[in-house]
Amino acid sequence: MKKSLLLLLVPLFVGCATATQVATSVGVSAGYITEGQKQALDKTAVKAEKAARPVSETEEYYIGRGVAATILTRYSLYRNQTVTAYVNHVGNTVVMGSPRPYTYGGYHFAVLDTDEINAFACPGGTIFVTKGMLKMVRNEDELAAVLSHEVGHVAQKHGLQAISSARWTEVVTTLATETAKTYTAAEMAGLVDLFQGTVDDVFKTLVVNGYGREQELEADMLAIGCLKTCGYDGRQFIRVLDRLEQTSKQTSGGIFSTHPDLAERIQAAKGPCGAAARPPAPEERVIRFKKTAVSW
Amino acid sequence: MIDILRFDFPLENGCPMKRTMLLILFLVPALSFAGETVKVKVQKTTLFEKPNFFSRIIATLKFGDQLEMEEEVKDWAKVKFGRQKGYIHQSALTSTKVDMKTLLFSSSSSSGASEDEVALAGKGFTPEVERSYGRAHPEMNYALVDEIERYSVDPNSLRSFIQRGGLKVSEGQR
C-alpha cells in the first residue's frame, strides 16, 4: 500500500502534472485514493509544475544585474585599473576550473571601496570583493580561494535559491497567462513588482542573512576543486578561513554575521585540501601580488 | 527499486508490461542523442579547435545559434556549426537531454526540465522589465553595472598570466 502511494507521488516530485493526473486516476480506479484526494494531489502537482520552471539564464542575468545595482547603492566601486585588472585575471583563471565557466553575461569581478571584509556573488556572475578582504589575503592563492568560493555560489546558482518559491510561482503563473511578448502597463507594473521582490530576496540573503550551511559547504568544495584544477595551492583555502575565524573574534558585522560556521567549514575543508607540502609559488606569482597589493 | 514498485502496483486488469513501461517513464529522467540540435544559451561564446579554452578559435558564437551535437567529451561538446566543427564548453549550451516524461505526457512545453532557454529569452525578466524597474528606482545605478560588465580580460593576457604564474587550465579533464 505504502509503495503504491509512493508511486503515485513520484511524478508529483518530478514535476509533471499530466503524469500525476494519470497516476492519480489509476489510484482512484484501484481504490487507493478517493476522488477528493485525487483532486488535491492534481492541484498540488499543477502548482509544483508551475514553480518547477527554473529561472532561465537570461532571467538569472537580469536578476544578478538588479542585485549588483542594489549592492552598489550601499557600497562605492573602487576604480583602480591595476587592481581591477589583477582581480579579474585571478577570477577568470579560477572560473576556467569551475563546472560552469560560461554564464549568459559572463563573469565580472569588481572591488568595493570599503574596509569591511566581505565578498558577494550576484547571480549570473558579477562578483564583488571588498578592499577589506583584499587587505586580509596574504598572497594570490588566498585571493584565488576567496574568488573561487564566490564562483562556486554562481556555479551552483545559490543566489537563485534565495528567491521565495511563492514569488517565483507567481512569476511563472503570471507569465503563463501571457500570450504576447508585449505587456500592458498594468502587467508590466506587476512584473516590475515581482522583479523587485526577487532582487530583494537575493540581496537579503547575500548581504543580510547569508547563505545556508549546506550552500557554504558546497561552495567551499567547489572552490577547492577549482583551485586544484588551476594549479593554486588548495591549502591556502584553509588559511583564509582560519584568518577569517581569528578576525571574527575581534570584529562583528559584514561577512562574520553572514558566515557564522567557520569552524565547521575549516574542519570540512581539511580533507579535500590535502596536507601534502607543495613547492612554493613561482616568483612571478609572488611579485605580481605584492606589486598590486600596494594599491589596495 | 523498479522491481519493488512494479509488483506492488495493482492496475485493474493491468498487464505487467504496461506497469513496467509506466514506471520506466517515471524513473528514467532523460536521454541524450548525438545529432540533436543544441543552442547557444549565453550572449557570446567560442567554438574551439580542441576542448581547451586556449585552443585555436574557429568561430565566435552568439545566443541562439544552433549547433549539431556530435559527442560529449567530458565538460565539452564536439559540435558542428554550419560547415565548421569544433568544441564548445557544455555550460554554454542548452541541454541535449530529452525529458521522456515531457515528451510522452505533456501537451505543452511548460515542464521545467526541457524548457527551451532560447525561447524563454523574451519572457519574464527582460531588458524591458529592467528599464521599467530602473525608471521606478533611479537610485539603482545600472550605469555602474554596465561599466563592470564592459571590463573584459583579453584571452592572450590571461594565457600569459596563467603560464607565467605557474598555473594551468582545465582541458575537460574533470
Side-chain angles (χ1 to χ4, degrees):
Chain A
M1 174 69 173
K2 277 182 186 170
K3 288 167 193 165
S4 303
L5 279 175
L6 177 66
L7 178 69
L8 288 172
L9 294 172
V10 166
L12 187 65
F13 287 115
V14 297
C16 181
T18 316
T20 301
Q21 284 155 8
V22 171
T24 51
S25 297
V26 171
V28 170
S29 61
Y32 282 122
I33 56 171
T34 64
E35 184 58 37
Q37 287 169 327
K38 171 187 159 36
Q39 283 174 11
L41 279 169
D42 290 348
K43 215 172 178 179
T44 309
V46 170
K47 206 172 169 186
E49 182 177 7
K50 280 178 178 169
R53 198 272 269 173
V55 177
S56 71
E57 293 270 326
T58 49
E59 286 168 331
E60 180 188 18
Y61 170 72
Y62 288 109
I63 293 166
R65 281 173 56 84
V67 174
T70 310
I71 288 173
L72 289 166
T73 62
R74 185 179 277 213
Y75 301 96
S76 301
L77 191 64
Y78 183 56
R79 283 193 176 96
N80 179 300
Q81 192 62 23
T82 308
V83 173
T84 301
Y86 182 66
V87 169
N88 271 281
H89 276 75
V90 176
N92 277 286
T93 300
V94 296
V95 160
M96 286 192 290
S98 88
R100 192 186 177 205
Y102 289 96
T103 61
Y104 179 78
Y107 288 84
H108 305 277
F109 298 84
V111 180
L112 298 174
D113 195 357
T114 168
D115 284 334
E116 183 186 303
I117 298 170
N118 222 332
F120 308 108
C122 304
T126 292
I127 290 171
F128 292 109
V129 59
T130 63
K131 250 168 73 175
M133 179 66 89
L134 294 177
K135 284 175 185 167
M136 194 204 76
V137 296
R138 303 262 170 92
N139 56 48
E140 184 175 307
D141 293 50
E142 288 191 9
L143 173 60
V146 171
L147 298 181
S148 59
H149 174 84
E150 299 307 319
V151 168
H153 282 311
V154 175
Q156 290 299 311
K157 301 188 178 183
H158 286 158
L160 299 183
Q161 290 169 23
I163 302 167
S164 118
S165 56
R167 193 185 318 284
W168 187 245
T169 301
E170 200 180 335
V171 172
V172 178
T173 309
T174 304
L175 296 173
T177 60
E178 310 301 338
T179 49
K181 279 187 180 178
T182 50
Y183 301 106
T184 64
E187 287 163 350
M188 180 54 76
L191 265 178
V192 168
D193 280 349
L194 288 167
F195 181 71
Q196 181 176 356
T198 304
V199 167
D200 285 349
D201 282 345
V202 180
F203 175 78
K204 276 178 197 156
T205 293
L206 258 63
V207 179
V208 184
N209 302 322
Y211 287 117
R213 175 182 161 276
E214 292 299 323
Q215 291 169 320
E216 292 296 351
L217 290 170
E218 197 174 22
D220 286 351
M221 295 308 123
L222 268 174
I224 295 163
C226 283
L227 293 172
K228 287 182 166 180
T229 302
C230 299
Y232 282 116
D233 182 359
R235 295 172 309 164
Q236 304 293 326
F237 190 84
I238 295 180
R239 289 188 60 181
V240 173
L241 291 180
D242 271 335
R243 198 160 317 114
L244 280 171
E245 196 190 24
Q246 291 305 315
T247 314
S248 72
K249 290 169 185 165
Q250 302 139 24
T251 317
S252 60
I255 200 168
F256 305 111
S257 58
T258 53
H259 293 69
D261 303 319
L262 287 164
E264 185 192 4
R265 288 174 58 194
I266 291 166
Q267 241 0 80
K270 277 181 179 167
C273 283
R278 283 172 51 97
E283 199 180 353
E284 166 77 20
R285 206 191 303 169
V286 176
I287 291 172
R288 69 192 182 194
F289 176 84
K290 284 183 178 167
K291 275 171 77 175
T292 316
V294 296
S295 302
W296 62 56
Chain B
M1 180 72 171
I2 289 175
D3 283 347
I4 291 168
L5 290 169
R6 176 185 159 184
F7 293 115
D8 196 42
F9 185 60
L11 278 174
E12 200 174 0
N13 303 320
C15 71
M17 184 72 159
K18 275 186 187 170
R19 293 174 213 159
T20 309
M21 283 292 291
L22 192 63
L23 288 167
I24 287 171
L25 291 170
F26 287 152
L27 298 172
V28 174
L31 296 173
S32 60
F33 303 102
E36 281 296 312
T37 299
V38 289
K39 292 176 189 169
V40 174
K41 67 174 181 181
V42 298
Q43 262 177 336
K44 200 175 76 174
T45 190
T46 312
L47 185 67
F48 294 105
E49 186 178 29
K50 292 175 183 171
N52 180 329
F53 292 106
F54 294 119
S55 135
R56 191 173 70 85
I57 294 171
I58 292 176
T60 299
L61 307 175
K62 62 181 191 310
F63 182 77
D65 278 346
Q66 295 195 14
L67 313 162
E68 189 183 314
M69 183 78 174
E70 293 213 329
E71 63 174 316
E72 292 180 7
V73 183
K74 305 274 182 177
D75 297 339
W76 297 78
K78 189 177 182 187
V79 294
K80 210 166 143 186
F81 177 58
R83 289 180 178 179
Q84 298 169 307
K85 282 186 181 182
Y87 292 85
I88 181 168
H89 197 278
Q90 293 205 41
S91 61
L93 292 175
T94 54
S95 176
T96 58
K97 307 281 189 271
V98 175
D99 188 319
M100 294 304 289
K101 293 181 294 295
T102 306
L103 194 68
L104 292 161
F105 287 114
S106 182
S107 57
S108 73
S109 62
S110 61
S111 188
S114 64
E115 194 81 55
D116 187 334
E117 285 284 347
V118 176
L120 282 172
K123 297 179 181 175
F125 298 153
T126 59
E128 193 187 0
V129 172
E130 183 183 282
R131 278 194 294 275
S132 298
Y133 175 66
R135 277 196 295 273
H137 298 273
E139 73 278 12
M140 296 291 160
N141 195 341
Y142 274 106
L144 270 186
V145 179
D146 292 338
E147 182 184 321
I148 292 166
E149 288 186 3
R150 268 197 303 273
Y151 187 89
S152 67
V153 177
D154 172 66
N156 290 328
S157 168
L158 187 59
R159 176 161 49 191
S160 164
F161 182 86
I162 288 168
Q163 285 171 347
R164 296 179 68 184
L167 302 167
K168 56 188 179 183
V169 290
S170 162
E171 295 185 17
Q173 300 300 311
R174 276 195 314 278

